[in-house]
Amino acid sequence: MANYFSLPSFVLYVAVGCMCGLWMKLTYSKRLKADPAAMYFGLWFFLTLFAVLRAVGPNGLGGMDAYGYDLIFRNLEADRIDRMEPLFKYGTMLIRYVTSEVFVYRFVCYGAIAFGYLFFLKRFVVSELSFIPFILMVFPYLRSFNTMRNSVAIAVFVIGIVLFSEKKTLRGVAMMVASFFFHRMSIIYIAFIPFYYMFRKSNFQNGKKLFVFLICYLVLGYLAARLLQDYIIAANLLSSEDNSDMYYISTSVNENIFSRIPLMFQHILLLGAMICWNSRLPRTADVNFLRLLIVFDILIVPVSVVLGMWRSVEYFYIPRLVMWGYLIPCMVRPFTAKSKRILEFGLFAVFVFWLCFRIAKEWEPAGLLPYVPIFLN
């Protein structure tokens, strides 16, 4: 069965996104008084099973690369598994040594991915946030149907970020560095460690100062990335058997960075919101740390675009949603209660539209549609 557009699957994904936003809202509801740990476990279990119990097959069913990962696990073919980063490779081999059941393998991988996302949310989400943005938390998870290895690396990285934010520095740095050995894309985000120590005392609460800082460093980052790209290509540093790294890094050689505006749109929008409402954000250590994450994430965009690291935009996808969760109450605060409800409904519609738009753009290249449960395949 090949991948094809399926309206029921499309609607299912949007419904799951809305359910995630509602679930997060209920988790912190003062009326419901639910046990947050139990609610997070329930969401983790649902998301894990949602990924594990989908049918996967050739021709892109269940994710373009999903069938390839299943074959790697089943057969452990040296020419394929040896191309994997060491921690992902040996982790796969260890699970294969214990069991030949591919659903166990998927459960471990997708359980780790869901855990990483929710671990970050549990650390930074508070009841005063708007939970509308969490409708979108399903999107990077859907992307993991195709990019499982990269998504595992992201999960490991954000776990490291949480530990780092809690002053468990050694463990946090170890996890962030370990993510590189699950997927080499992490190398660009490991740079957050020196960035944090360089700018942790900077005053990014002033919108104008933040704007000037970002413009200056975005230009410097772009120029540095172009120089690095030219050097790597000239020195042929990334030559390999499949030459995929050289292909990715050279795709933007003759491109104008503004041709990649759609890729950068979500960062541009968040940057505008932060500049406008930055001074209204709560002045807490957690928000300051989160702001530093987002500033770094925005600075990395031109670098990742130039070097062909398109998947890097998913590393701080969840932190960006949390920042939106903080910003939306700041945006609607000056309005009357009735106006707030209208604005919040409008924002809800915008986030649902953006989820629909992203699924519509990604379903074919990523093989996200149709979603077929294994018991119906």
Side-chain angles (χ1 to χ4, degrees), residues 254-269:
N254 297 315
E255 285 187 352
N256 187 310
I257 192 170
F258 295 106
S259 66
R260 295 288 180 177
I261 286 292
L263 185 68
M264 301 183 284
F265 179 74
Q266 54 190 315
H267 291 82
I268 295 170
L269 206 60

Side-chain angles (χ1 to χ4, degrees), residues 77-202:
E77 295 174 3
D79 63 326
R80 301 186 70 176
I81 199 167
D82 286 345
R83 298 176 190 174
M84 304 294 173
E85 285 78 358
L87 285 181
F88 188 85
K89 170 186 172 180
Y90 292 118
T92 297
M93 294 173 68
L94 177 62
I95 299 169
R96 183 65 179 82
Y97 177 79
V98 174
T99 178
S100 61
E101 182 52 67
V102 72
F103 293 106
V104 174
Y105 177 58
R106 286 193 216 163
F107 191 90
V108 172
C109 292
Y110 286 103
I113 294 167
F115 178 81
Y117 292 171
L118 297 178
F119 190 64
F120 185 92
L121 292 175
K122 193 172 187 299
R123 170 68 179 84
F124 286 97
V125 171
V126 295
S127 60
E128 292 77 18
L129 263 67
S130 168
F131 294 95
I132 293 171
F134 300 121
I135 294 167
L136 281 169
M137 66 181 284
V138 73
F139 181 71
Y141 194 69
L142 292 177
R143 288 275 301 152
S144 72
F145 289 5
N146 177 48
T147 59
M148 186 176 74
R149 179 166 51 106
N150 188 51
S151 296
V152 170
I154 292 171
V156 173
F157 189 89
V158 295
I159 290 170
I161 286 289
V162 171
L163 296 174
F164 192 75
S165 73
E166 295 176 335
K167 308 302 180 186
K168 300 171 183 176
T169 307
L170 187 59
R171 280 181 284 175
V173 170
M175 290 293 285
M176 285 186 270
V177 173
S179 70
F180 172 75
F181 297 100
F182 282 95
H183 198 291
R184 54 190 175 276
M185 188 75 69
S186 296
I187 187 67
I188 195 170
Y189 274 87
I190 292 174
F192 174 74
I193 300 168
F195 177 86
Y196 171 80
Y197 286 109
M198 289 171 63
F199 297 106
R200 60 178 170 170
K201 295 182 179 179
S202 299

Side-chain angles (χ1 to χ4, degrees), residues 19-35 39 131:
M19 187 216 72
C20 288
L22 178 61
W23 196 292
M24 290 297 297
K25 183 177 178 63
L26 293 176
T27 299
Y28 291 89
S29 171
K30 293 178 180 178
R31 288 184 180 180
L32 187 62
K33 295 182 180 179
D35 177 10
M39 294 293 284
F131 294 95

Side-chain angles (χ1 to χ4, degrees), residues 33-46:
K33 295 182 180 179
D35 177 10
M39 294 293 284
Y40 271 105
F41 176 79
L43 186 55
W44 170 83
F45 192 68
F46 168 78

Side-chain angles (χ1 to χ4, degrees), residues 215-226:
I215 292 298
C216 292
Y217 278 89
L218 281 169
V219 173
L220 288 173
Y222 173 75
L223 295 174
R226 282 295 186 192

